[in-house]
C-alpha cells in the first residue's frame, strides 16, 4: 500500500502563531496566506477606509484564539505598506479576484500609487499604561523605518538630560537623587527610556528637594495624541500619507486588572479613536485586536468607569469573527493539499468517501451545505474523517491557545498532529476524532479544575487508565469526551449510532457493539 505522506501535503507556514511586530516584513507569511471569504470582506472594509474622506478609522476585531486574527491583520498591514514587494500579494490577489473583482482592481490601483503608503505602528500586548505603550510603539516604528529623527523630545527625555547633566556637572546632586529614590542612575534611566510614567513621577517628586524647592519644567511636553499628530504631519516628506496603529492582544491590557486602569487611560483611548476618525487626508487608523468585546470586562466596575468604557466602545467599529464553521471548513480544506492523491487514486478515493457522504447527508451533520459542497468538503479534507472535520474547529474554539489550535494541528510536525498520522498511515485510512483528542488533551487537563471541560477530561482519563490493550474502547471513550465537550448534541449526539457512523470505516459493527 502507498503511504499517505507520498501524496498529501499541507501548508506548514500556518504552524506558528503570528506575532505582528516580529513578522511584519516576513514575506513568507504573506505569500502563503489563504484568505477565507470573511478575510476578503475585512480586507475590503479596511481598504475602503483609506479613502481620504473616510471617517471610519477606529476598529475593534473580536475573536477567539485560533481564528487567524493576527495573520489577517498582518496581511492587511503589508498591503498598506509593502509597495516595493507587491509581487508577494499575487497569490492572495488571485484568490480575491475570484470572489470580489472590484476589490481586486481597487487593491491593484492602491499598490501602483506611490503616494499612498501607511506607516505600521504596533502596540504589543502589555500591562503597561496606555500612554507608555503608545509612546514605545511609535518610537519603535520610527526606529524600524529609520525615521528616528521624527521622534520629538518628550518630558522623559528632559528628565534623562537633567540626570546626565547632574552626572557630569553636579555629582553630589546625583548622589542625593540616588539616595532619595533608592535606585542607581543607570537603572532609573532604563525606566525613563521605556516611558515609565511612575519613574517620571518619582523624578518630579524628588526634584524640589534637590533644587531648593525648584519645580521641574521640561522644555518640551505634550500629550500622546499631539505627539502622534505632529509626527504624522511630517510623514508625507518620507513617502507616507499616514500611519496604521495596531494594538495587538488588547485583551491582555484589559485582563491584567481593568479596575486599576486610570480614567486618563480610558479618556486617551476614547480621544485617540475620535482623532483617527477625523484625520481625513492626514490619515491615522487605530485597530484593536481582542478575544472578547470591551463590555465583557466592565460588569464589576463603578458606574463612572463603566460609562467611560462604553464611550470607548462606541467610538470603534466592531468586527466580530462569528462561529462561521463553513469558513473554518474552507480553511481546513485549503491547508490540506491532496490533489496529487486524488489524481492518482481517483476511483479509490471516491469509493472510500462515498459511503461517508451518504451517511452524513442522511444524519444532517452538515445541513448547511449543499450536496456538491459536502462532497467537495469530504474530498478536499481527506484523510480527516467527516466527524473529525466537524469537531476540529469546535474543540479548538473551546480550548485553543496560540500555540495549539486546529490550524497548528493541521500544519505543524509535532506529536499527535495531522502530519504524524499521514507519515505513518496508508491511503484509505481516516483520522477519526480520537486523534484530535490526543492533540488537545493537554489543554483539557489545564482547564479550571471544577469546569465542565476538565470534569469531562478527568472522567475520560480515569476510564482510559482502566482499559488495557483495546484500541477501539479507547477510541470510543475519547470520541465520547469530544462530543460532550463540543456540546452539539442536535447534530452529533453521544449515541451508539453516532459511534457506528464514525468507526464503521475501520471496525465491524459487531466490534463496535
Amino acid at each position: 500500500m502507498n503511504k499517505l505522506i507520498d501524496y498529501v501535503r499541507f501548508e506548514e507556514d500556518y504552524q506558528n502563531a503570528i506575532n505582528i511586530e516580529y513578522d511584519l516584513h516576513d514575506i513568507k507569511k504573506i505569500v502563503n496566506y489563504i484568505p477565507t471569504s470573511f478575510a476578503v470582506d475585512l480586507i475590503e472594509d479596511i481598504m475602503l477606509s483609506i479613502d481620504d474622506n473616510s471617517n471610519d478609522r477606529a476598529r475593534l476585531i473580536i475573536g477567539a484564539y485560533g481564528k487567524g486574527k493576527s495573520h489577517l491583520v498582518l496581511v492587511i498591514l503589508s498591503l498598506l505598506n509593502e509597495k516595493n514587494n507587491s509581487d508577494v500579494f499575487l497569490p492572495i490577489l488571485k484568490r480575491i479576484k475570484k470572489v470580489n473583482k472590484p476589490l481586486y482592481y481597487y487593491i491593484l490601483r492602491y499598490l501602483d500609487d506611490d503616494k499612498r503608503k501607511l506607516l505600521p505602528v504596533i502596540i504589543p500586548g502589555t500591562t503597561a499604561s496606555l500612554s507608555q505603550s503608545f509612546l514605545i510603539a511609535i518610537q519603535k516604528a520610527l526606529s524600524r523605518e529609520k525615521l528616528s529623527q521624527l521622534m520629538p523630545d518628550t518630558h522623559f527625555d528632559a528628565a534623562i538630560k537633567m540626570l546626565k547633566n547632574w552626572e557630569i556637572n553636579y555629582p553630589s546632586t546625583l548622589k542625593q537623587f540616588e539616595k532619595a529614590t533608592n535606585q542607581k542612575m543607570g537603572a532609573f534611566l532604563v525606566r525613563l527610556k521605556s516611558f515609565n510614567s511612575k519613574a517620571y513621577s518619582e523624578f518630579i517628586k524628588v526634584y524640589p528637594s534637590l533644587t531648593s524647592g525648584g519645580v521641574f519644567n521640561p522644555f518640551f511636553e505634550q500629550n500622546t495624541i499631539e505627539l502622534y499628530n505632529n509626527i504624522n504631519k511630517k510623514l508625507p516628506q518620507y513617502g507616507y500619507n499616514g500611519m496604521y496603529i495596531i494594538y495587538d492582544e488588547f485583551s491582555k491590557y484589559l485582563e491584567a486588572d481593568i479596575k486599576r486602569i486610570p480614567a486618563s487611560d480610558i479618556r486617551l483611548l476614547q480621544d485617540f479613536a475620535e482623532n483617527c476618525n477625523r484625520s481625513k487626508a492626514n490619515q491615522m487608523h487605530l485597530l484593536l485586536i481582542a478575544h472578547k468585546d470591551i463590555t465583557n470586562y466592565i460588569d464589576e466596575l463603578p458606574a463612572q468607569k463603566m460609562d467611560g468604557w462604553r464611550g470607548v466602545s462606541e467610538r470603534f467599529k466592531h468586527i466580530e469573527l462569528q462561529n462561521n464553521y463553513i469558513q473554518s471548513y474552507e480553511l481546513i480544506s485549503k491547508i490540506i493539499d491532496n490533489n496529487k492523491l486524488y489524481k492518482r487514486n481517483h476511483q479509490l478515493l471516491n469509493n472510500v468517501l462515498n459511503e461517508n457522504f451518504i451517511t452524513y447527508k442522511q444524519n444532517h451533520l452538515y445541513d448547511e451545505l449543499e450536496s456538491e459542497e459536502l462532497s467537495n468538503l469530504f474530498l478536499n479534507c481527506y484523510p480527516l474523517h467527516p466527524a473529525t472535520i466537524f469537531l476540529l474547529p469546535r474543540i479548538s474554539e473551546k480550548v485553543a491557545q496560540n500555540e495549539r489550535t486546529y490550524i497548528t494541528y493541521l500544519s505543524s510536525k509535532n506529536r499527535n498532529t495531522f502530519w504524524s498520522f499521514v507519515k505513518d498511515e496508508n491511503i484509505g485510512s481516516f483520522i477519526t476524532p480520537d486523534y484530535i483528542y490526543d492533540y488537545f488533551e493537554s489543554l483539557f487537563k489545564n482547564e479550571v479544575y471544577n469546569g465542565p471541560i476538565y470534569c469531562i477530561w478527568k472522567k475520560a482519563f480515569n476510564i482510559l487508565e482502566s482499559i488495557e490493550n483495546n484500541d477501539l474502547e479507547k477510541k470510543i471513550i475519547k470520541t465520547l469526551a469530544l462530543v460532550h465537550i463540543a456540546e452539539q448534541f442536535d447534530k452529533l449526539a453521544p449515541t451508539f449510532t453516532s459511534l457506528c457512523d464514525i468507526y464503521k470505516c475501520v471496525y465491524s459493527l459487531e466490534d463496535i457493539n
Side-chain angles (χ1 to χ4, degrees):
M1 288 287 289
N2 292 317
K3 291 286 185 184
L4 281 166
I5 194 67
D6 296 326
Y7 296 92
V8 176
R9 292 180 60 255
F10 54 91
E11 295 285 354
E12 289 186 58
D13 286 303
Y14 271 83
Q15 62 183 288
N16 297 320
I18 295 294
N19 183 306
I20 297 176
E21 184 177 12
Y22 298 126
D23 294 329
L24 188 56
H25 295 301
D26 188 339
I27 302 303
K28 210 172 181 183
K29 293 282 194 306
I30 308 304
V31 171
N32 293 310
Y33 181 71
I34 301 172
T36 62
S37 52
F38 171 83
V40 174
D41 290 343
L42 182 57
I43 290 171
E44 179 177 44
D45 181 59
I46 289 181
M47 292 303 297
L48 291 176
S49 76
I50 63 176
D51 181 85
D52 284 347
N53 294 314
S54 173
N55 58 359
D56 182 23
R57 290 179 178 165
R59 283 172 174 72
L60 170 64
I61 293 185
I62 306 159
Y65 282 110
K67 288 286 189 179
K69 303 182 296 296
S70 295
H71 202 169
L72 172 53
V73 170
L74 179 70
V75 169
I76 292 170
L77 271 184
S78 298
L79 276 170
L80 299 174
N81 177 254
E82 295 281 356
K83 293 303 188 81
N84 296 328
N85 293 304
S86 56
D87 287 350
V88 305
F89 301 115
L90 292 178
I92 296 171
L93 289 172
K94 186 177 179 182
R95 296 185 184 104
I96 290 175
K97 189 176 183 180
K98 288 181 180 178
V99 296
N100 191 331
K101 279 189 178 180
L103 175 61
Y104 166 77
Y105 290 113
Y106 184 83
I107 293 174
L108 285 183
R109 288 196 298 272
Y110 176 82
L111 292 174
D112 287 339
D113 189 345
D114 293 333
K115 295 181 180 179
R116 304 185 78 185
K117 180 179 176 182
L118 297 177
L119 174 74
V121 180
I122 316 300
I123 303 173
T126 176
T127 58
S129 74
L130 206 59
S131 177
Q132 182 181 3
S133 297
F134 271 90
L135 289 171
I136 290 172
I138 189 63
Q139 184 187 54
K140 283 186 176 181
L142 294 174
S143 176
R144 183 189 65 239
E145 304 299 326
K146 298 180 172 54
L147 296 172
S148 294
Q149 70 275 15
L150 295 184
M151 186 69 185
D153 286 337
T154 65
H155 50 289
F156 294 98
D157 296 304
I160 290 168
K161 287 179 180 178
M162 183 60 72
L163 284 171
K164 289 183 175 180
N165 179 45
W166 288 345
E167 180 184 34
I168 297 170
N169 299 312
Y170 305 98
S172 61
T173 303
L174 179 61
K175 284 183 180 180
Q176 291 177 52
F177 174 82
E178 290 178 333
K179 185 178 179 181
T181 59
N182 196 28
Q183 198 167 10
K184 290 292 184 183
M185 173 186 165
F188 203 87
L189 287 178
V190 169
R191 295 173 67 201
L192 287 173
K193 287 176 180 177
S194 65
F195 304 109
N196 188 306
S197 55
K198 288 184 178 179
Y200 183 73
S201 295
E202 288 175 39
F203 179 83
I204 293 295
K205 186 177 180 180
V206 171
Y207 185 83
S209 66
L210 305 176
T211 57
S212 302
V215 177
F216 185 67
N217 184 22
F219 56 85
F220 179 91
E221 184 167 2
Q222 60 183 323
N223 68 40
T224 305
I225 296 174
E226 287 175 349
L227 183 142
Y228 265 77
N229 284 338
N230 288 336
I231 293 172
N232 206 33
K233 288 174 186 175
K234 298 173 185 175
L235 284 177
Q237 303 171 40
Y238 301 90
Y240 298 91
N241 67 311
M243 60 176 75
Y244 210 103
I245 305 146
I246 305 288
Y247 198 133
D248 197 10
E249 299 283 2
F250 182 65
S251 296
K252 287 184 179 178
Y253 169 72
L254 298 176
E255 289 166 358
D257 190 352
I258 194 167
K259 293 178 182 177
R260 293 179 179 269
I261 293 176
S264 58
D265 272 21
I266 301 172
R267 186 67 187 173
L268 171 60
L269 198 56
Q270 191 170 322
D271 291 346
F272 208 106
E274 191 69 36
N275 183 69
C276 290
N277 287 332
R278 295 181 178 183
S279 57
K280 296 299 181 183
N282 197 26
Q283 293 194 21
M284 194 181 295
H285 302 252
L286 177 60
L287 174 64
L288 311 179
I289 304 176
H291 306 310
K292 294 187 291 186
D293 197 326
I294 291 172
T295 54
N296 289 108
Y297 295 94
I298 64 175
D299 290 345
E300 297 180 7
L301 292 178
Q304 189 174 359
K305 278 196 173 182
M306 196 181 290
D307 290 341
W309 278 114
R310 287 201 181 105
V312 169
S313 183
E314 289 167 2
R315 280 160 175 77
F316 286 83
K317 179 176 184 178
H318 291 223
I319 301 165
E320 189 164 357
L321 279 70
Q322 301 286 352
N323 300 335
N324 189 330
Y325 295 113
I326 293 177
Q327 292 179 4
S328 298
Y329 303 151
E330 181 185 350
L331 186 55
I332 290 170
S333 68
K334 287 177 177 176
I335 294 175
I336 298 171
D337 179 2
N338 58 17
N339 289 333
K340 183 179 178 183
L341 176 61
Y342 186 69
K343 288 175 183 176
R344 293 287 296 272
N345 299 273
H346 179 87
Q347 193 57 48
L348 173 62
L349 263 187
N350 277 347
N351 292 339
V352 168
L353 295 172
N354 189 50
E355 187 176 352
N356 276 323
F357 172 77
I358 295 170
T359 296
Y360 288 102
K361 185 65 179 173
Q362 290 174 341
N363 73 8
H364 308 296
L365 189 64
Y366 292 95
D367 271 348
E368 67 271 33
L369 298 178
E370 299 294 333
S371 292
E372 186 177 351
E373 292 175 321
L374 187 62
S375 178
N376 289 335
L377 174 68
F378 291 173
L379 178 64
N380 294 333
C381 293
Y382 179 80
L384 294 181
H385 187 279
T388 309
I389 301 169
F390 178 84
L391 285 167
L392 187 55
R394 288 167 171 82
I395 297 299
S396 179
E397 186 173 76
K398 290 270 188 175
V399 297
Q401 299 295 330
N402 272 340
E403 71 284 351
R404 196 167 288 253
T405 67
Y406 77 90
I407 293 175
T408 60
Y409 170 78
L410 293 168
S411 58
S412 60
K413 289 186 174 181
N414 296 322
R415 190 166 168 263
N416 295 325
T417 59
F418 178 85
W419 171 81
S420 65
F421 179 91
V422 166
K423 74 180 178 65
D424 293 330
E425 298 297 331
N426 297 322
I427 295 173
S429 303
F430 279 94
I431 299 177
T432 45
D434 51 284
Y435 288 98
I436 64 170
Y437 176 95
D438 293 337
Y439 182 72
F440 287 108
E441 185 182 15
S442 63
L443 298 184
F444 303 153
K445 184 179 178 180
N446 289 327
E447 285 286 305
V448 179
Y449 74 91
N450 61 348
I453 293 176
Y454 179 89
C455 292
I456 292 167
W457 167 79
K458 187 63 177 176
K459 188 179 289 186
F461 176 81
N462 290 335
I463 297 170
L464 291 167
E465 286 283 284
S466 68
I467 297 174
E468 294 181 8
N469 303 321
N470 190 313
D471 286 341
L472 179 54
E473 283 187 19
K474 292 180 179 179
K475 286 176 180 289
I476 287 172
I477 295 300
K478 291 175 181 179
T479 301
L480 285 171
L482 291 179
V483 170
H484 278 282
I485 290 170
E487 293 185 295
Q488 300 280 308
F489 301 140
D490 57 326
K491 287 181 172 289
L492 185 59
T495 62
F496 175 69
T497 301
S498 294
L499 293 169
C500 286
D501 289 344
I502 293 169
Y503 288 106
K504 67 185 180 184
C505 62
V506 185
Y507 298 92
S508 70
L509 293 179
E510 183 181 1
D511 287 340
I512 297 170
N513 192 36

